[in-house]
Amino acid sequence: MSISSIVAPSRRSFLKTSAVGAAALTLPAPFIKRAYGQSRNTMVFGSGEPLTGNWDPTSHTVLSQINLEGYVMGQLFRTPMKPEDPTEIVWELATGQKIVDLYTIEYSLRDGVTFHDGKKFGAEDVKATFEYASSPGRPAAWYPGECEVEIVDDLTVRVHTKKGNYPAAAFYFLAGFLPIMSAKDIADPATLQGRPNGTGPFKFAEQRGNTTVLKAFDGYMHGKPLLEEVHFSYIGDATTRVLALLSGEIDVTERLEPEQYDSLSGESKVTLSRTVSTENKYLHFRCDKPPFDNPKLRLAACHAIDRDQILGVMGAAGEASNNYMSPVKFGYTDLPNYPTYDPAKCQELLAEAGFPNGQGLPEMEFFTSMGFYPKTKEYGEVIAAMLQEQGFPIKFTVMETAAWGARLYQQAGQPSYGDMVDCGWSTGSPEPDLVLRSMFYSKAGPKGGLINGVQDPEIDAALNAEQAEPDPDKRLALVAQAAEAVAAKAPSLSLFTSVLLHGYRTGLEGLVFYPNGPIDASKASFKA
């Protein structure tokens, strides 16, 4: 297959011809159809990914679930992560933070806040959340390690990190991503898993098939939302979501395809939003097994890939990035040693790895998802063709989202599936370790990096050095050095930074789109 023969299919004509009949669209059961007269006080969100069925926020790393938690759960603070100021902090359940010493950070908490079940929020909830969520073995490995929380008084806590042997400054940005749970719920795992309970603007009402029904919380700290309900509905197909938006069945859709974004720009009924995200898209190599346990072979593959061509496929949905992090992350910089498209260097490294011109390489499976991330099939075909042109025998497999997700992560005692996998990684904080340590630290998962399985002492040493530096100014340089250490071994290749493309009903005002996916609808309303 030659690169020039690949033409990305366009849905522009399909959208234009199908929009006429969109009003009669039948959505996958059991989607909630909008009731007559309901349209101006209920917002229906079309999610591209299903929920996990477990309401414990520490039980997963699933983006759709994180998006839902944005409506329901409260956090100590929020980080809007605008490109012009990635480090901005907006206080929520906390009113301030102070680094006391290397292993201690103090939080002042907001008074007068209640959970959806009526329990008053206070220091005991922060203590229970931090200690439970940081315990070893929690699937959502957002915490740097174990911690202990001292209750100074009802509205003051001190988080101590000496037990986990990492600096308390690690929470300086990270605490803006961690949902705060009720101590009462944490004490009863069945309750925690049975329904979500937070301090956010909307509270859980019921589950109707693939739709989660949320209702406005009267006791929300900033006042009851104007919207009465939010319906969070899973609609796996991107085209179906667009047609539902055009027909009025839903009010907001996420992850528009670039062609859909272009086509909808002329629709008076639809308003568009484009947000540079915290998410980079990666080609992860399975470093825990041959042949990609060899860094030279991984680097050879990286030099075979022209990322400019991939950006051409992505259109409005992609931004260039020469780092493993998004430009809205603390410590982002263009890395001087980031792999570039260089076929001659690719062939040189193939020969050094013992596979001149690719001779002797086994067939390697590259798998991706379809229906959640934009253009994965199209740019996946481009990547496969470029690798094949350099001598890599690639088998390219496209999977439905759920099947891809089941094969994505490293599992203890099980061989990793495939040889390369396409995946994004989106986190709700400027904290770089949410990317660097999750993806590339040898203790992040059962085999190393959560997806690539890398275990490399030089990468570990660089990551430990930047994490141990409490001074933010000094840490900036160390974060860059850690990213350079990753680039030198290339356990993954960051292809680009995703751009979140949302479409929503014209007249729906006051939405705030966070760069990791969640939407703040606490001040949203439909214009009369």
Side-chain angles (χ1 to χ4, degrees):
M1 183 192 306
S2 68
I3 300 172
S4 59
S5 69
I6 297 175
V7 179
S10 172
R11 293 181 179 171
R12 181 185 300 273
S13 58
F14 174 75
L15 277 175
K16 289 183 176 178
T17 57
S18 300
V20 177
L25 177 70
T26 301
L27 294 174
F31 178 78
I32 296 179
K33 279 190 170 280
R34 183 188 300 285
Y36 181 78
Q38 177 194 50
S39 60
R40 294 288 75 90
N41 65 359
T42 296
M43 186 185 86
V44 183
F45 173 75
S47 171
E49 186 181 29
L51 301 177
T52 67
N54 188 331
W55 303 115
D56 180 349
T58 75
S59 70
H60 66 90
T61 59
V62 176
L63 186 55
S64 60
Q65 196 87 12
I66 293 171
N67 291 346
L68 179 74
E69 289 163 3
Y71 295 99
V72 176
M73 308 298 292
Q75 297 162 195
L76 293 182
F77 54 84
R78 304 276 175 174
T79 49
M81 292 175 289
K82 300 172 185 175
E84 62 271 19
D85 185 10
T87 61
E88 178 187 4
I89 288 176
V90 179
W91 300 105
E92 189 171 300
L93 294 177
T95 58
Q97 64 182 341
K98 179 176 65 176
I99 297 175
V100 178
D101 57 43
L102 180 61
Y103 294 115
T104 307
I105 187 168
E106 180 179 285
Y107 290 99
S108 303
L109 306 179
R110 189 179 301 276
D111 196 8
V113 179
T114 59
F115 284 91
H116 297 157
D117 64 359
K119 179 190 177 299
K120 184 178 179 180
F121 161 77
E124 65 172 355
D125 304 301
V126 177
K127 175 179 172 63
T129 296
F130 271 64
E131 292 181 350
Y132 167 70
S134 70
S135 60
R138 297 311 303 155
W142 306 126
Y143 287 73
E146 286 189 87
C147 63
E148 297 174 318
V149 180
E150 170 193 358
I151 295 178
V152 179
D153 56 45
D154 288 347
L155 296 176
T156 310
V157 295
R158 288 188 169 185
V159 180
H160 301 287
T161 60
K162 192 168 186 178
K163 183 177 182 180
N165 194 30
Y166 60 93
F171 286 112
Y172 192 84
F173 296 119
L174 178 58
F177 179 52
L178 307 175
I180 300 299
M181 296 171 279
S182 166
K184 178 182 174 184
D185 290 348
I186 291 173
D188 182 1
T191 300
L192 187 61
Q193 295 175 15
R195 55 98 181 95
N197 176 36
T199 59
F202 295 92
K203 63 181 180 180
F204 176 79
E206 62 177 313
Q207 188 70 31
R208 302 179 193 167
N210 285 335
T211 293
T212 305
V213 179
L214 307 175
K215 293 193 175 184
F217 177 38
D218 292 349
Y220 180 52
M221 69 183 81
H222 298 309
K224 181 182 177 181
L226 297 174
L227 295 173
E228 288 293 334
E229 294 186 5
V230 170
H231 293 176
F232 193 95
S233 300
Y234 169 51
I235 308 172
D237 179 69
T239 300
T240 303
R241 292 196 299 273
V242 169
L243 294 177
L245 178 65
L246 290 171
S247 71
E249 298 283 356
I250 67 175
D251 299 299
V252 186
T253 184
E254 65 173 347
R255 294 189 180 273
L256 291 169
E257 299 278 353
E259 293 90 351
Q260 294 172 334
Y261 182 85
D262 292 340
S263 296
L264 290 172
S265 64
E267 280 285 343
S268 61
K269 295 185 294 185
V270 175
T271 300
L272 298 173
S273 171
R274 185 177 187 272
T275 308
V276 176
S277 79
T278 62
E279 175 188 83
N280 278 22
K281 286 298 299 295
Y282 302 92
L283 179 65
H284 291 291
F285 303 105
R286 299 297 204 184
C287 304
D288 60 308
K289 64 180 186 180
F292 285 122
D293 57 346
N294 186 335
K296 290 185 176 181
L297 189 63
R298 301 195 299 259
L299 283 164
C302 292
H303 287 298
I305 297 171
D306 183 354
R307 289 180 290 124
D308 287 340
Q309 290 199 38
I310 299 171
L311 284 170
V313 174
M314 291 305 299
E319 288 273 326
S321 174
N322 294 305
N323 199 316
Y324 292 96
M325 305 181 295
S326 161
V328 300
K329 288 281 189 178
F330 175 82
Y332 176 88
T333 185
D334 286 339
L335 301 178
N337 66 334
Y338 199 75
T340 58
Y341 178 56
D342 188 340
K345 186 67 174 177
C346 169
Q347 291 301 321
E348 177 185 329
L349 288 165
L350 276 173
E352 291 179 9
F355 304 102
N357 299 310
Q359 296 175 12
L361 282 173
E363 181 181 70
M364 292 171 280
E365 183 168 15
F366 165 29
F367 71 100
T368 189
S369 64
M370 186 173 183
F372 179 49
Y373 299 113
K375 311 301 291 182
T376 45
K377 178 178 182 293
E378 290 84 352
Y379 77 69
E381 290 173 339
V382 173
I383 291 172
M386 288 188 285
L387 289 168
Q388 288 166 348
E389 286 185 352
Q390 298 303 320
F392 290 85
I394 300 298
K395 175 186 176 183
F396 181 53
T397 304
V398 181
M399 296 180 173
E400 183 270 330
T401 303
W404 162 85
R407 295 163 176 80
L408 179 61
Y409 292 102
Q410 299 284 342
Q411 302 291 333
Q414 298 180 22
S416 56
Y417 182 90
D419 301 284
M420 294 175 285
V421 55
D422 172 88
C423 182
W425 193 251
S426 180
T427 57
S429 166
E431 173 53 52
D433 279 349
L434 287 173
V435 175
L436 296 179
R437 291 186 81 86
S438 297
M439 293 293 100
F440 308 115
Y441 192 56
S442 64
K443 296 180 181 178
K447 298 182 181 180
L450 288 176
I451 298 174
N452 53 43
V454 67
Q455 294 190 35
D456 188 284
E458 293 180 1
I459 294 176
D460 284 355
L463 290 172
N464 287 335
E466 62 86 5
Q467 186 193 65
E469 177 52 63
D471 185 316
D473 292 333
K474 294 179 180 178
R475 190 181 177 215
L476 276 172
L478 293 175
V479 169
Q481 290 175 24
E484 288 176 29
V486 175
K489 301 297 181 72
S492 308
L493 178 67
S494 178
L495 301 169
F496 56 87
T497 294
S498 298
V499 176
L500 300 182
L501 303 178
H502 288 89
Y504 59 98
R505 174 179 292 279
T506 297
L508 175 57
E509 300 179 341
L511 295 177
V512 177
F513 297 92
Y514 283 103
N516 59 312
I519 300 172
D520 180 357
S522 63
K523 295 181 176 62
S525 65
F526 289 96
K527 186 167 72 173

